[in-house]
Amino acid sequence: MTDTKNDYQKILGSVQKPVKGEAGKTGSWSPKKPIIDIEKCIPAKSGKPSCFNCWLYCPEAVVSRTIPPKIDFDYCKGCGICMEECPVKAITMEEVSIE
Amino acid sequence: MVNVLDLPEEELIYPGTRACAGCSMALIYRIALKALGKNTIITVPASCLTVLHGMQGFCTTKVSVLHTPFATTGASASGIVASLEDKGLNEDINVVAFAGDGGTVDIGIQSLSGAVERGTNFIFACYDNEAYMNTGVQRSGSTPPGAFSTTTPDGKIGYKKDMPKILEAHGVPYVATAISSYPLDLYEKFSRAKEIYGPKYIHILAPCPPGWGYEPKDSIKIGRLAVQTGFWPLYEVIEGKFQLSKDSRRYLDPKKRKPIEEYLSLQKRFRNISDEIIANYRDYIDNLWKDIKTRTKEEN
Ligand SMILES: Cc1ncc(C[n+]2csc(CCOP(=O)(O)OP(=O)(O)O)c2C)c(N)n1
Ligand code: SF4
Ligand code: SF4
Ligand code: SF4
Ligand SMILES: [Mg+2]
């Protein structure tokens, strides 16, 4: 007798768990990290929610849409897209040591 | 037109995936999921997007994902929709097939065509990085002329399949083109598509740093050049009616378009492109926009 339900469970394993850092701490992929100059950053200067290009364009979802935006270096891959897309050049890529 | 603050703040994809740094496909997926919302079931054939979802036992998204064999993406969507209809859940849940260009224009085309012809109520989204990237950059039917791939070491001979036109010929109620460099436009298109009943098709150009040969930071810039040179027009065809998208409208004027060399020269895959192929690109873009101009006049 085949037990289809159990067979499927054997094949599928456990329910897939949604997790952060499935590929580990991807921040280790690059020592270069974006540093925001809050003297230049538009929402930080005005205190009003606007711009947020760094949040919008980040492929990794590691930037927060807050004033000022915060970046999670544990997972930021250091691609530099946020630096390129910041309209006021408030972001520079700098070497940051992360353990 | 939506504003950056109209997008939901909540992320439906977790950081720390296996996608390369600067991957525009990851951005496309992130923005598309914001538009689709949590009540979404995704079906994905083998691709970089499979890898992004992670290894057995884990998932990087907050939505349900079905990993399906390469040729079956469209059929798997029909199956999911049929089962949701059976359970009376079809009104509340978006079913979305998300495939690479290889999985769409080559290997997946028959089951996509079948699902569309059956009138399946789903969205088929193709992220087009213009080659089989996950297996190491082999050419696909969507690779553009002159582009290097490991199977076209001297540059591709031939043309890029016009997949949106092929879907238009199926008479689907919604066809759109998009690109990662215009995320608000992309968000609007997914938001619109999910409100329409029947098969919907969205074709999204997806610059890929290792496959196209450029630095990860330039993903957005290169995609923008694809639009600014006129190579990748952004448009929608809603119930057969053609509509040029806001971000592409100014390029109706040929003088506003940037020279195609600006786009090609930034990518190592076009390093050895001949003047003849570049001239072909110019003709291709001219003809493409003549057609767009005619359709914009006739249908509006
Ligand atoms: C039937 C079958 N043939 C071949 C493969 C190997 N394979 C896995 S991913 C892939 C490339 C997919 O290319 P595309 O759809 O463009 O997605 P991308 O990797 O570029 O994101 C190939 C050939 C497979 N998994 N199944
Ligand atoms: S893109 Fe630049 S100006 Fe805009 S919110 Fe980010 S850091 Fe500030
Ligand atoms: S460097 Fe890349 S991954 Fe890091 S915050 Fe900027 S856009 Fe996101
Ligand atoms: S190969 Fe290209 S599409 Fe695939 S994960 Fe890397 S950047 Fe993204
Ligand atoms: Mg591909």
Side-chain angles (χ1 to χ4, degrees):
Chain A
M1 263 277 294
T2 52
D3 181 346
T4 318
K5 193 171 168 234
N6 268 332
D7 284 351
Y8 271 127
Q9 270 174 357
K10 249 182 253 160
I11 297 163
L12 295 172
S14 56
V15 172
Q16 317 274 298
K17 221 174 114 202
V19 284
K20 201 172 179 175
E22 191 279 325
K25 292 226 168 150
T26 49
S28 67
W29 290 12
S30 168
K32 289 255 169 89
K33 295 287 175 270
I35 308 293
I36 301 176
D37 180 352
I38 55 164
E39 305 278 305
K40 287 188 187 157
C41 168
I42 298 167
K45 263 173 75 178
S46 68
K48 295 197 182 90
S50 61
C51 182
F52 296 129
N53 269 6
C54 47
W55 174 80
L56 182 65
Y57 288 98
C58 175
E60 299 305 327
V62 296
V63 185
S64 69
R65 204 172 72 190
T66 51
I67 305 172
K70 292 220 162 61
I71 299 170
D72 184 350
F73 287 172
D74 280 351
Y75 298 103
C76 162
K77 293 173 183 167
C79 67
I81 285 178
C82 53
M83 171 195 69
E84 287 291 315
E85 296 310 314
C86 175
V88 293
K89 302 211 176 311
I91 300 178
T92 47
M93 300 301 290
E94 289 168 30
E95 284 206 14
V96 172
S97 69
I98 47 161
E99 57 271 24
Chain B
M1 186 78 201
V2 295
N3 178 282
V4 64
L5 297 173
D6 296 329
L7 271 58
E9 209 172 338
E10 188 190 1
E11 303 293 348
L12 297 183
I13 172 166
Y14 283 105
T17 70
R18 275 157 216 273
C20 307
C23 173
S24 79
M25 172 273 281
L27 175 58
I28 289 163
Y29 195 47
R30 173 181 166 241
I31 300 291
L33 288 182
K34 281 183 187 289
L36 294 165
K38 262 190 185 153
N39 287 346
T40 298
I41 298 176
I42 306 278
T43 172
V44 188
S47 58
C48 284
L49 187 55
T50 314
V51 178
L52 178 145
H53 282 111
M55 308 268 271
Q56 166 77 15
F58 301 101
C59 185
T60 53
T61 59
K62 295 185 195 171
V63 299
S64 296
V65 180
L66 175 77
H67 292 281
T68 195
F70 230 135
T72 64
T73 316
S76 72
S78 289
I80 297 167
V81 170
S83 106
L84 290 175
E85 276 169 3
D86 187 55
K87 293 182 164 63
L89 294 168
N90 51 313
E91 303 248 313
D92 310 322
I93 298 176
N94 307 305
V95 176
V96 183
F98 234 106
D101 51 304
T104 305
V105 318
D106 299 335
I107 309 175
I109 195 169
Q110 52 82 8
S111 74
L112 164 57
S113 178
V116 164
E117 186 268 335
R118 284 189 294 275
T120 301
N121 181 30
F122 80 129
I123 299 173
F124 194 108
C126 169
Y127 70 91
D128 182 3
N129 52 22
E130 300 191 316
Y132 291 77
M133 292 308 180
N134 181 45
T135 40
V137 201
Q138 293 82 22
R139 61 86 95 186
S140 78
S142 205
T143 303
F148 166 92
S149 70
T150 50
T151 49
T152 54
D154 298 318
K156 179 176 166 178
I157 298 166
Y159 60 93
K160 179 178 171 72
K161 238 188 233 186
D162 191 345
M163 199 64 187
K165 272 255 173 72
I166 294 173
L167 267 291
E168 233 195 290
H170 282 70
V172 304
Y174 188 81
V175 173
T177 60
I179 191 163
S180 40
S181 303
Y182 296 84
L184 298 179
D185 176 76
L186 178 75
Y187 177 84
E188 278 193 326
K189 284 169 177 168
F190 272 91
S191 304
R192 195 131 52 230
K194 78 171 189 181
E195 300 303 327
I196 295 170
Y197 187 82
K200 282 83 58 179
Y201 181 74
I202 307 180
H203 196 112
I204 312 136
L205 197 65
C208 163
W212 294 16
Y214 65 84
E215 282 185 57
K217 70 176 174 57
D218 292 329
S219 270
I220 307 300
K221 178 163 103 184
I222 287 187
R224 212 176 271 132
L225 277 167
V227 174
Q228 291 167 334
T229 54
F231 172 73
W232 191 250
L234 303 174
Y235 64 84
E236 294 174 294
V237 185
I238 307 174
E239 300 290 355
K241 197 165 171 275
F242 182 89
Q243 184 152 15
L244 195 57
S245 306
K246 186 184 130 289
D247 295 308
S248 270
R249 243 168 259 162
R250 63 194 308 262
Y251 306 113
L252 271 171
D253 178 357
K255 290 193 290 295
K256 298 254 164 71
R257 286 175 224 150
K258 290 193 172 168
I260 189 64
E261 289 88 333
E262 283 192 31
Y263 174 64
L264 303 173
S265 64
L266 287 175
Q267 306 171 46
K268 290 207 187 84
R269 64 178 174 155
F270 294 115
R271 202 168 23 195
N272 296 323
I273 198 168
S274 65
D275 292 342
E276 191 191 332
I277 297 180
I278 296 177
N280 291 345
Y281 267 96
R282 280 191 216 105
D283 292 344
Y284 167 80
I285 291 168
D286 282 348
N287 289 329
L288 183 68
W289 283 87
K290 268 181 205 145
D291 186 43
I292 290 173
K293 200 164 184 177
T294 313
R295 296 192 72 181
T296 304
K297 269 196 205 133
E298 279 173 4
E299 296 173 27
N300 290 287

